[in-house]
Amino acid sequence: MKQLQLFKEDQLKLHGGQINQGRRKLRRPLSTKQPIHLVLKCDKSTGLFRELNQVKYYINKYSWKFCIRIYSLSVQHDHIHFLIKIDDRESYVKFNRALTGILARKYGKGIWQLSPFTRVLNWGKEYETVKRYIRQNEDEVWGIIPYVQRQQRY
């Protein structure tokens, strides 16, 4: 007898961004033992990359304050990619509120287009794939490699 798979495994690990628009609110899946891919999306006019040093200063300040370990980071013109590990849900919430709040005060109210996108990853292949993707984003924003338009998955 074969066990029925009621849910797609990936859907249980994803939250935020364009995925949950128009749907009821659900508890964000987070893990204290696995890495998390976090994306903060703002409007294009903000230009986070122009203020790179200041943005990275606030990221480092609040990640240290709330015990968030950052494995990989990429600040783009209109979004920020993180590969993080958290100690507990409360520290993630505090980090997210503090960082998005201070950046909103600096660049104006309403800069965040979507709710933060998170995906819980597995160590190994998923972790390395996301780390490579974030590095590719970093190389594209610095002009090391040409920008390639990607199909949006979520």
Side-chain angles (χ1 to χ4, degrees):
M1 181 177 252
K2 184 177 178 183
Q3 175 68 37
L4 291 176
Q5 187 174 0
L6 299 176
F7 303 104
K8 289 184 180 179
E9 187 177 346
D10 283 343
Q11 292 300 323
L12 298 175
K13 296 180 177 183
L14 301 172
H15 192 276
Q18 294 178 342
I19 296 170
N20 297 26
Q21 282 185 327
R23 296 183 186 170
R24 82 172 102 171
K25 293 184 179 183
L26 301 170
R27 186 177 170 106
R28 182 178 298 274
L30 295 173
S31 174
T32 59
K33 297 181 191 298
Q34 295 175 305
I36 298 170
H37 180 207
L38 168 66
V39 180
L40 301 175
K41 174 85 169 133
C42 66
D43 58 3
K44 286 191 181 277
S45 64
T46 304
L48 293 173
F49 188 69
R50 282 182 270 142
E51 301 291 333
L52 180 65
N53 291 335
Q54 192 173 34
V55 171
K56 283 191 173 184
Y57 166 77
Y58 288 121
I59 290 169
N60 291 329
K61 176 182 177 182
Y62 291 118
S63 65
W64 182 82
K65 184 175 182 178
F66 298 116
C67 301
I68 303 292
R69 179 155 184 200
I70 299 178
Y71 294 113
S72 189
L73 169 70
S74 177
V75 178
Q76 305 292 308
H77 295 285
D78 63 344
H79 63 283
I80 306 171
H81 282 281
F82 298 90
L83 187 54
I84 62 173
K85 186 168 179 299
I86 61 174
D87 283 344
D88 58 2
R89 180 177 290 272
E90 187 179 339
S91 66
Y92 165 79
V93 170
K94 288 179 180 180
F95 168 74
N96 196 15
R97 285 184 182 166
L99 182 62
T100 56
I102 194 70
L103 293 177
R105 280 184 291 201
K106 289 286 182 187
Y107 300 112
K109 183 179 175 184
I111 68 164
W112 303 111
Q113 283 187 336
L114 301 169
S115 64
F117 169 82
T118 56
R119 179 176 181 213
V120 178
L121 306 171
N122 292 321
W123 292 105
K125 187 176 180 182
E126 282 185 343
Y127 171 79
E128 291 299 327
T129 302
V130 171
K131 194 171 182 179
R132 193 171 38 250
Y133 173 73
I134 292 173
R135 180 66 192 165
Q136 179 183 355
N137 270 258
E138 189 74 8
D139 290 346
E140 287 174 353
V141 79
W142 285 104
I144 297 169
I145 60 173
Y147 172 73
V148 177
Q149 181 73 31
R150 289 180 272 288
Q151 183 180 5
Q152 195 169 11
R153 290 178 56 196
Y154 308 113

